[in-house]
Amino acid sequence: MKVILLQDVKSLGKKDEVVDVSDGYARNFVLPKKLGVEANAKNMNDLKLKKANSEKQAKEQYEEAKAFAEAMEKDEIVVSIKAGEGGRAFGSVSSKEISAAYKEQCGKEIDKKKIQLTDAIKSFGVFEVNIKLHPKVTGKLKVKVTEL
């Protein structure tokens, strides 16, 4: 019997896959536990529509992330930190501070978890910070660190 899986099932397959199982396994395990539905014409059509819709949404998210990355590369934010003797910085600039400064200065939000700091920013100057907006899209943001 062919079954469309509604969830990931260990040793059987992933969600939205069509798998071939024995009739008894389907009747006694897969169908009663709502792990899958029978692969008839209606359910196959629903699966095809669902996949088309998810592909469309994924493409829209990719396009939005790409546009946001292009807009972000033109922006430059200013973050001020305290300085000690000889112009040395106290502490470092965190991703939380960068996120808050971007929201305040540009009016758009960036999740602090998406900001990828390779090294801690512990000095003054202009730095380029990578921001992972989408698995395929990484934007660059200029961060100018000044003395408070």
Side-chain angles (χ1 to χ4, degrees):
M1 174 186 282
K2 290 206 182 280
V3 176
I4 300 171
L5 296 176
L6 300 176
Q7 300 176 18
D8 291 353
V9 180
K10 193 174 185 177
S11 76
L12 194 58
K14 300 253 184 224
K15 182 179 178 180
D16 292 335
E17 275 185 11
V18 179
V19 293
D20 201 10
V21 296
S22 67
D23 291 349
Y25 186 67
R27 253 193 321 266
N28 296 320
F29 182 74
V30 177
L31 299 177
K33 293 196 175 195
K34 307 253 189 280
L35 299 174
V37 292
E38 189 177 345
N40 57 25
K42 179 194 176 296
N43 291 337
M44 291 296 283
N45 192 37
D46 289 348
L47 177 66
K48 189 163 60 167
L49 291 173
K50 187 177 174 183
K51 282 186 177 179
N53 187 30
S54 64
E55 287 175 9
K56 181 183 172 193
Q57 285 179 338
K59 187 176 181 182
E60 287 175 0
Q61 289 174 345
Y62 173 73
E63 295 297 328
E64 286 176 14
K66 202 171 178 182
F68 188 60
E70 288 175 9
M72 185 187 340
E73 289 184 13
K74 298 172 187 160
D75 295 336
E76 180 179 280
I77 61 168
V78 179
V79 178
S80 298
I81 56 174
K82 289 183 181 178
E85 298 174 21
R88 293 188 49 150
F90 275 133
S92 64
V93 179
S94 68
S95 58
K96 183 178 179 183
E97 291 170 324
I98 293 171
S99 176
Y102 190 76
K103 183 177 180 184
E104 181 183 310
Q105 295 171 20
C106 299
K108 299 174 194 160
E109 279 195 46
I110 298 176
D111 187 10
K112 68 179 181 179
K113 295 173 189 160
K114 294 182 178 184
I115 298 173
Q116 299 175 321
L117 293 172
T118 52
D119 298 326
I121 300 174
K122 294 183 176 183
S123 58
F124 302 111
V126 179
F127 300 90
E128 270 197 358
V129 176
N130 290 332
I131 298 167
K132 186 113 172 142
L133 299 169
H134 187 272
K136 297 177 183 174
V137 179
T138 302
K140 294 190 184 296
L141 177 66
K142 287 189 180 119
V143 178
K144 184 176 182 183
V145 181
T146 60
E147 193 174 331
L148 188 64

